[in-house]
Amino acid sequence: MNKHDKIPNKGINTRLAHSGHDPQSYHGFVNPPVVHASTVLFADAATMESRKSKYTYGTHGTPTTDALAAAIDELEGSAGTIILPSGLAAVSVPFLAVLSAGDHVLVVDSVYGPTRRFCDDMLCRYGIEATYYNPMIGAEIEQLIRPNTKLVHTEAPGSNTFEMQDIPAITEVGHGHGALVSMDNTWATPLYFKPLDHGVDLSIHAATKYPAGHSDILLGTVSANEATWPALHAANSMLGMCGSPDDSYMTLRGLRTMGVRLERHQQSALQIARALEGRPGVAKVLHPALESFPGHDLWKRDFCGSSGIFSIVLDVADAERHGAKAHAFLDALTIFGLGYSWGGYESLCVHANLSDRTVALPPKEGPVIRLQIGLEDSEDLLVDIENALAAANAA
């Protein structure tokens, strides 16, 4: 028994510091080894034939990837976790694991853009139809479920516009009709929301973001409950999708500090979001932890924290000027970088493209600017935003 197991109800930072590795398993070294592997040698012919060995081939896991998976399982409360080479792979693999030709999948309309492209451009080629639903639908999603609906894919908050979803209501309806429920929980991480505790079957994360935390790793994780784990594990084995040992090691290293980093991201993002509410040039601030946000009550009920990414809607009356105003805002920034990712130590900004929406339509007031609040001093970031607002107003 690991000596830490003798302490019940450990705090989150304690679990982050010690999960996924027992130093005594590797001569007392604090961090697990990085095992680079393809071929695994068996002790004898009988073991090779029966495959009754912990490791059989590099694509099926190594001590390094297992250490990360074990840490994620502890955070998620999951029966098993697979490690994948990107966040998008963490969406596509579970879809392929549970869907077949002729099936129907419900996908929230505020979904991560590449997820929509995967559904529309690839799943449709295999006879799987996707329908996009309003993120605020809640239990009314029952009206959209068909006899062949096998999966409901949720994401909360939604990409770019941060709509909240009633996850417990959706899972209850989905399960009542025999459908599984998946959730992209990258925004909150399992520190601030644990999907499986709210009825979700498959919890998806782009570990590229907060777990890795330093803008230099591509990795995804999918964690499943006991009933769904066999299908997820089998599909991943057949697809041969696996995260690299080096990236797994670095993500596990980032996990150790994720708690304290998230606290800083949360504090700075809320401070800046509150400062921007009602400011001239800002029509709306889209942050679920703000009392003014339409989905705030759902966030407050189900989540225990917020992360460092939110959006603002610029106040631009002339729709033809949306692009020019957004560009003026972006080009005036000096601390914020212009980049599509988030969750790292540095602040980033992007003009959100919402042209693919079908029912959760973009705000009419102006362009949506997504802000990733990093670990810089929030006062400096606010000055940078104010200068950018002034530039947008003058454009």
Side-chain angles (χ1 to χ4, degrees):
M1 175 185 288
N2 187 312
K3 64 181 180 179
H4 300 290
D5 293 337
K6 298 178 182 179
I7 304 173
N9 303 318
K10 297 186 294 291
I12 188 62
N13 287 303
T14 302
R15 286 188 284 138
L16 286 170
H18 296 283
S19 60
H21 177 53
D22 178 9
Q24 297 311 312
S25 298
Y26 292 99
H27 312 289
F29 290 108
V30 171
N31 290 309
V34 180
V35 178
H36 296 96
S38 56
T39 302
V40 174
L41 298 180
F42 297 90
D44 49 51
T47 305
M48 185 177 189
E49 183 177 2
S50 66
R51 293 180 176 265
K52 290 182 179 179
S53 177
K54 181 173 176 59
Y55 298 105
T56 58
Y57 195 70
T59 55
H60 300 151
T62 70
T64 313
T65 57
D66 281 357
L68 177 58
I72 299 298
D73 280 336
E74 183 170 340
L75 297 176
E76 293 272 15
S78 46
T81 292
I82 59 173
I83 310 298
L84 298 164
S86 70
L88 181 55
V91 174
S92 59
V93 169
F95 276 38
L96 294 173
V98 302
L99 294 172
S100 302
D103 286 348
H104 174 242
V105 56
L106 287 169
V107 179
V108 65
D109 197 41
S110 53
V111 73
Y112 174 54
T115 300
R116 186 190 299 266
R117 289 195 293 274
F118 176 74
C119 292
D120 291 347
D121 295 347
M122 183 164 286
L123 288 187
C124 68
R125 288 162 42 196
Y126 298 106
I128 300 168
E129 182 183 358
T131 299
Y132 298 95
Y133 66 89
N134 191 311
M136 304 299 291
I137 198 170
E140 296 302 312
I141 198 169
E142 188 163 27
Q143 299 175 9
L144 301 179
I145 290 183
R146 305 174 187 173
N148 63 335
T149 302
K150 301 302 181 183
L151 179 68
V152 180
H153 180 66
T154 67
E155 182 177 332
S159 284
N160 297 315
T161 42
F162 301 94
E163 296 91 343
M164 292 302 303
Q165 291 193 257
D166 191 337
I167 300 298
I170 290 172
T171 59
E172 183 177 359
V173 171
H175 292 162
H177 289 269
L180 296 173
V181 179
S182 57
M183 179 177 178
D184 188 329
N185 190 45
T186 302
W187 183 88
T189 82
L191 273 62
Y192 293 156
F193 184 81
K194 295 177 68 173
L196 302 188
D197 286 356
H198 292 79
V200 172
D201 302 287
L202 294 156
S203 178
I204 295 166
H205 289 91
T208 302
K209 309 305 196 270
Y210 291 117
H214 293 79
S215 303
D216 53 2
I217 299 294
L218 287 170
L219 207 76
T221 67
V222 188
S223 302
N225 58 21
E226 188 172 357
T228 317
W229 170 242
L232 178 66
H233 183 260
N236 190 52
S237 296
M238 288 184 281
L239 290 167
M241 299 281 276
C242 52
S244 77
D246 293 287
D247 289 347
S248 296
Y249 175 87
M250 292 302 293
T251 301
L252 189 61
R253 185 178 183 181
L255 211 62
R256 306 308 185 196
T257 62
M258 185 170 72
V260 292
R261 286 187 285 106
L262 267 175
E263 288 179 8
R264 176 58 180 259
H265 286 298
Q266 173 177 227
Q267 179 184 18
S268 295
L270 271 173
Q271 179 183 345
I272 293 170
R274 294 191 191 283
L276 293 175
E277 277 198 296
R279 191 199 184 285
V282 178
K284 290 180 180 178
V285 179
L286 308 179
H287 191 312
L290 293 179
E291 292 80 1
S292 60
F293 190 75
H296 175 73
D297 289 343
L298 285 174
W299 172 84
K300 188 174 182 180
R301 185 193 72 184
D302 294 338
F303 287 61
C304 61
S306 60
S307 60
I309 183 170
F310 68 96
S311 290
I312 60 175
V313 182
L314 299 184
D315 191 1
V316 181
D318 185 357
E320 294 184 357
R321 297 288 297 160
H322 284 191
K325 294 283 188 178
H327 282 201
F329 181 97
L330 296 177
D331 289 341
L333 294 167
T334 58
I335 299 177
F336 283 83
L338 307 187
Y340 286 107
S341 193
W342 48 274
Y345 60 87
E346 84 288 22
S347 293
L348 299 171
C349 188
V350 64
H351 176 202
N353 182 357
L354 307 177
S355 61
D356 59 357
R357 299 289 183 90
T358 58
V359 290
L361 300 179
K364 297 180 180 179
E365 293 88 349
V368 174
I369 303 295
R370 192 184 73 186
L371 300 168
Q372 133 74 8
I373 305 302
L375 301 180
E376 304 94 339
D377 293 306
S378 57
E379 294 81 5
D380 295 334
L381 296 176
L382 189 55
V383 170
D384 203 24
I385 294 170
E386 289 173 344
N387 291 337
L389 287 169
N393 182 60

